[in-house]
Structure formats: C-alpha cells, structure tokens
Amino acid sequence: MELLFTGGRVLTIDGLDHIVSGVAVRDGHIVAVGDSDEVRKTVGPEATHVDLRGRALIPGFCDPHNHFSMSNFEPRSVDCRVPPMAGKPAVLDAIAAAASGSPEGQWIWGMGYAAGPSGAAVLSRTELDDVAPNNPVCVMDQSYHSCNANSAALAIAGIGRDTPNPRGGEILRNERGDATGLLWERAMDSVHHASLRAHIDVLGQEVVADLVEQNARRHLSHGITSLGDAVVLEDSAEIYRLADDRNKVPIAVHQMRGGNEFFAAPEAAASGAFLMDDVSDRLRGGIVKIFMDPVWPTFAYTKCHADGTHEPMGEPYYGQDEVDRLVLGAASHGLQVAIHCLGDRAIEQALNAFERAQREIPRGDPRYRIEHMFLPQDGQMDRAASLGVMISHQPSFLYAIGDGFDHFRREAGLPFPALPTRSMLDAGLTLASGSDYPCFPVKPLTGLYAMVARRTRSGVEVAPDQAITPLEALRTQTLNSAAAMFRDHEVGSIEVGKRADLVVLSHDPTLVDPLFIRDIVVQQTYVSGDLLYSV
C-alpha cells in the first residue's frame, strides 16, 4: 500500500527541523520526504493521495507518561471532576445514581475528584455509605495519590480501627480514631487493588479488551500514536495481554512496571521478573517505575525561609540505600528506570542513585528518566544533564493548575517557576513531554499551548521567560518522547525509513498566534500508514 501527502507544511522534526511539502509512504514506512513534485515520483499511480491543502503534517505524538490503564474503565466509572460536576453534592448524587443501578456488592468507581487534603469538600466514609449503602465505593482523587472509600470498601481492603498506617501512607481518622475514608498514598493501595481486580472479574475479558481499544481510539483522536503507561501492575499487564491477544491495541504501549500495588516498591520488576514484557509490536516493556516522593501531605522538597534558613519538607518513599538497590537491580538486568520526583529532595536521591548505577554498572545508553521534576533546586538541572538523565515532564500540569502551584512555589521560596522548560533546555537536558492523563488533560496540543504561551486554563501567564518555541515544544512531544521510550529509531520524526506514524493538523502551530494553539484540531491520525482516526 502506498500513500502520498502533498501540498502542505510537513514539520519533519528531523535534526535540522526541515519543513517540506511532501511525504511518500510504502508498506507502513516513509520512503520519501521533500518537495511535493519530487516525492510524487516515488510512488505509483495507485497510491492514496492526501492533499494537505496547506495544513500541517507532523509526526505522531508520543506520550511517555500516561496512566492509560487507569483510564480504561472511565466509561464504566462515575466522572467526579469539578467541573463538569457542579460540586460535592452533585458528585454524591451521581454516585447514588450509579449505585441504584448496580447489583448489590458491585464496586462503584469514581474518578477525578479533587478535594484537597482536608475540608468540607472531602467525601467522607459516612457520606458515601449514605448514597451507596449496598456497594463498595472507591473515588480516586484527581492526583491519583489518594482516594475516598466507604465502609464496605474499607472492610474489603482490611482497613479497620486498629490498622496501622503503612510506611509512606496515611489512613485519615476523626477525633474518635475511626477512619474517615480518605486514604493517602500507600494507604490507598489495598482499596485500589481490590476495586481494579473486581472490574476485570465482573466485566469479563471481552468487555475489558473492548474498553482498551476504545481508550486507544480516544488517544488516537488527539494524535497520540505511542505512549508509556506510567504504572503497570499485574492486573494492568493482564488487561493489556488479553486486549493484545484480540488485536485491540492499535497504538504502541510501553509498560512501566511498578510494584504489586500502585505505590509499592517494584522489587520484582527491578529483579528482572518481567523481562518478557515485550509481548508484541504494540505491547512493549523494559522499564521500571519508582515513586520517590508523595503528593499528600506534601512532596519532598526544601523550603527556603525569608531569613535564609532551609527546612526539609515531606518524606521520600525511600532512603538512599533503598532506592540505590532498586536502580542497581534494574541496571544489572539492562532495564531502563524512571523515577517520579516532584521536589528537590526526591530529585537529589534519584540523581544519586543514577550516578551510582553508572559508576558500578556502566552502560552506554541507559536513558535513565526523572518523571515530573517540577521543583528543581540550583544545580540539579546541570547535574541531570551531565549524567545524561532524561526529564519526562507534563506541560498540561501548567495549564490545569499552574497558577495555584506557582503561588505555592513563591510562598515556599523556591528558585525556579513551575515547569522551568526554557531553563531545562538551556541546561542541555533532553526534555520529553507527556500528559499524566487522567490526572491532567490528555491533549498534546494543550501541553504545546502551555509550553509556548505559558498560560493556565484561566488565562494567567506563568513565568513567560520560560516559554519555548513551537518547534522546540513539538520536538519534546515527538522525537524526544520517542527517545524516552527507546523508539526514536522508528518514530518521532518524519524521515525516510521510519514508521509512518503521522498526524494532520488543521493549522501549523509554528505560524499561528500562540494563544490559538489549543484550538488547533487533529484531523487525521495514521499508525504505520493506516488511517485510524479522521474527522
């Protein structure tokens, strides 16, 4: 099969950022890139012709940090985001409606509620009991670092009055010592695991496989052709395999293996237990995910007081020796490692672990990754660059909550603004941009807007000196993100020999006003030359 694209603006994202007008594809791979008239000569008369009519053709977006397996069940869950929900009463009404239409004992799963660590907006155990008296309920926080559970869910998870807090987690309690239903970090693991497992068992393999395909199609509608699932549990891996067996994984998914529960230490993964995760062309493995610091009650950072003193805040999940052992174990099996780090204290531990791993188990191209790196301190970006560490960040975070987070950053006396993109690139870091969906918006064009316009959802401008150009931003979302998943040899740019993972945009983001970027429309998405989405 042959394809011919002509008459547009082809942003190749190659080494010189060439912009051409034509591309030819044969058997799923790019065979010619250049002037439309010249490219036309490389295909036969039966080639399918796509007249771009001045539109932009770019490489498929790669999303290296996406919680795809978390969002598979969204169609079977209660959307608890505010907005579109009007507030807590509306969320409780929606949970009540879901429970009234479900068999007794079936789990009710809510997603995307953001109440903060305390206050009247928190969904209490008793409130959830009232609206769903016959069903276990788990409502995931927007951050996915906490959840709200009712009494039935707590009982199934084995959480009672005398259950101690796990290391790295907290069971929130009232003045009488009873669990309120709010579970932070590792305290939520048992509820999350029980509810996920129940979804698989109740829905059955065929329905679960269909949900995976539906989720992939949704991502294709945003131009995403490859992604990394940032925590893959045993249940998640089972879901992927049964979907892949049925040819229902139309995009490339890289399984970032975690522990046996969401925030658990990835002991088995680091010891090489999942070396066979390269299941198929679409389902891949080879990377271990480690959580270094929490969201609740706060991440691991250094607060800088006005008098010049410093105060350590938050607690990392691991001591230095513990994370060193995990990284060394993964390195000994040739595995890539990605470490979630929000604050500078977590970042420092990750950099120490990577430096030790390279010293004791030197590797030519390990592509160690720090995920997020929202709050680096002086020198950490330069150090990461010197170690060859890649930064996988999420610009849609700036769009969604950047104004509030920037306020926190200033209150804490931290030196860099939220997502210091310009500084990261200037330090020589390889920056890969993903979404962290469903925690933050999935659309890559939203992230592109945030990096170029430095605007939040409300229109607030945050650190405009950290803006980067549209081509620089596109590179972070395509070629750099492909490199973060060891796929830059096959996707991420429009070059001869690479797979024809391509996206047609309504407008060229390098030519429009930055404030218009988020309104650009994905009109077609091709994976290996196959048209899988079109408006």
Side-chain angles (χ1 to χ4, degrees):
M1 175 182 172
E2 292 183 325
L3 279 171
L4 176 65
F5 297 87
T6 63
R9 296 263 301 176
V10 180
L11 309 183
T12 65
I13 317 296
D14 65 6
L16 296 176
D17 282 329
H18 284 116
I19 297 177
V20 299
S21 59
V23 176
V25 174
R26 183 180 300 117
D27 297 330
H29 288 78
I30 298 166
V31 294
V33 179
D35 177 78
S36 290
D37 290 336
E38 292 300 314
V39 165
R40 189 177 283 109
K41 299 174 184 177
T42 65
V43 298
E46 301 303 316
T48 299
H49 181 213
V50 180
D51 185 353
L52 293 170
R53 302 189 305 279
R55 295 173 296 173
L57 184 71
I58 66 168
F61 289 113
C62 301
D63 187 343
H65 187 111
N66 179 308
H67 292 282
F68 188 91
S69 56
M70 287 163 34
S71 59
N72 279 328
F73 294 106
E74 275 193 329
R76 297 300 186 106
S77 304
V78 180
D79 186 351
C80 298
R81 296 174 181 88
V82 179
M85 287 292 185
K88 177 179 172 178
V91 170
L92 288 170
D93 286 347
I95 293 169
S100 67
S102 300
E104 182 175 343
Q106 183 171 305
W107 279 85
I108 307 299
W109 208 7
M111 295 189 68
Y113 190 69
S118 60
V122 170
L123 300 171
S124 73
R125 171 179 57 85
T126 53
E127 288 171 323
L128 293 174
D129 287 347
D130 289 342
V131 297
N134 301 312
N135 300 85
V137 178
C138 172
V139 178
M140 299 305 304
D141 181 77
Q142 178 191 35
S143 69
Y144 225 82
H145 280 249
S146 71
C147 76
N148 300 268
N150 69 351
S151 296
L154 293 173
I156 290 171
I159 297 175
R161 185 182 182 88
D162 298 324
T163 304
N165 287 328
R167 180 188 174 191
E170 184 173 350
I171 304 166
L172 279 294
R173 302 178 187 277
N174 60 25
E175 63 279 1
R176 298 185 302 276
D178 297 321
T180 65
L182 181 57
L183 307 171
W184 284 347
E185 305 289 333
R186 283 180 174 164
M188 76 166 221
D189 276 353
S190 55
V191 168
H192 175 265
H193 173 73
S195 57
L196 177 61
R197 184 68 249 173
H199 274 70
I200 301 170
D201 294 339
V202 169
L203 295 175
Q205 295 186 357
E206 295 300 328
V207 171
V208 168
D210 285 343
L211 289 172
V212 172
E213 184 175 31
Q214 290 173 31
N215 201 8
R217 297 287 175 181
R218 173 171 51 176
H219 283 71
L220 286 164
S221 74
H222 301 306
I224 298 169
T225 55
S226 305
L227 61 84
D229 187 333
V231 186
V232 171
L233 311 175
E234 276 295 288
D235 292 331
S236 311
E238 178 185 338
I239 290 170
Y240 283 134
R241 280 170 168 75
L242 63 90
D244 189 62
D245 288 344
R246 292 161 174 78
N247 295 314
K248 292 187 175 181
V249 185
I251 60 179
V253 176
H254 291 246
Q255 303 173 87
M256 300 167 66
R257 280 290 190 153
N260 57 359
E261 292 183 327
F262 198 80
F263 292 107
E267 300 280 358
S271 66
F274 308 117
L275 295 177
M276 300 305 292
D277 269 352
D278 280 323
V279 176
S280 68
D281 184 59
R282 293 287 176 225
L283 191 53
R284 307 186 182 197
I287 179 168
V288 177
K289 167 69 178 293
I290 301 172
F291 283 100
M292 186 65 79
D293 60 345
V295 169
W296 308 116
T298 190
F299 28 85
Y301 72 101
T302 303
K303 186 172 185 178
C304 305
H305 294 286
D307 61 3
T309 60
H310 297 80
E311 180 183 2
M313 305 294 291
E315 287 298 325
Y317 274 117
Y318 304 99
Q320 189 65 60
D321 287 344
E322 293 173 300
V323 71
D324 284 0
R325 180 176 56 81
L326 290 171
V327 174
L328 286 168
S332 69
H333 291 92
L335 295 167
Q336 189 182 17
V337 179
I339 304 183
H340 159 114
C341 302
L342 297 172
D344 65 287
R345 295 172 59 219
I347 294 167
E348 193 69 14
Q349 284 192 311
L351 293 174
N352 290 342
F354 291 150
E355 185 173 40
R356 179 177 173 183
Q358 277 297 82
R359 184 173 62 249
E360 297 185 16
I361 308 174
R363 300 162 65 193
D365 189 17
R367 302 194 193 183
Y368 292 129
R369 288 168 43 176
I370 288 180
E371 310 298 299
H372 311 306
M373 198 166 172
F374 287 154
L375 297 172
Q377 286 279 16
D378 285 327
Q380 289 186 327
M381 286 185 279
D382 290 334
R383 186 183 177 202
S386 71
L387 291 170
V389 174
M390 307 181 78
I391 307 303
S392 169
H393 84 153
Q394 296 72 44
S396 56
F397 166 94
L398 178 70
Y399 173 80
I401 58 172
D403 38 8
F405 200 83
D406 196 56
H407 173 76
F408 162 81
R409 190 271 308 174
R410 286 184 271 106
E411 289 289 311
L414 303 176
F416 292 102
L419 279 90
T421 314
R422 179 79 270 159
S423 296
M424 288 182 177
L425 291 183
D426 289 348
L429 285 164
T430 298
L431 187 61
S433 297
S435 67
D436 207 9
Y437 185 74
C439 306
F440 295 104
V442 68
K443 295 181 180 180
L445 287 163
T446 298
L448 186 69
Y449 167 83
M451 287 186 280
V452 176
R454 295 293 299 189
R455 302 271 181 159
T456 69
R457 190 196 308 270
S458 61
V460 173
E461 191 174 32
V462 178
D465 61 316
Q466 292 295 326
I468 61 177
T469 70
L471 272 177
E472 288 175 320
L474 277 171
R475 182 175 293 273
T476 73
Q477 295 179 312
T478 54
L479 188 60
N480 288 4
S481 288
M485 296 185 284
F486 279 95
R487 294 199 72 207
D488 50 312
H489 65 289
E490 57 179 341
V491 296
S493 62
I494 300 177
E495 299 181 82
V496 172
K498 288 196 172 183
R499 296 185 184 219
D501 286 9
L502 305 168
V503 172
V504 177
L505 300 179
S506 61
H507 297 75
D508 181 345
T510 70
L511 299 180
V512 302
D513 186 308
L515 298 182
F516 181 76
I517 287 175
R518 64 176 173 173
D519 296 317
I520 293 174
V521 175
V522 172
Q523 295 189 331
Q524 290 183 331
T525 303
Y526 295 82
V527 176
S528 294
D530 292 329
L531 179 60
L532 298 186
Y533 172 77
S534 181
V535 292

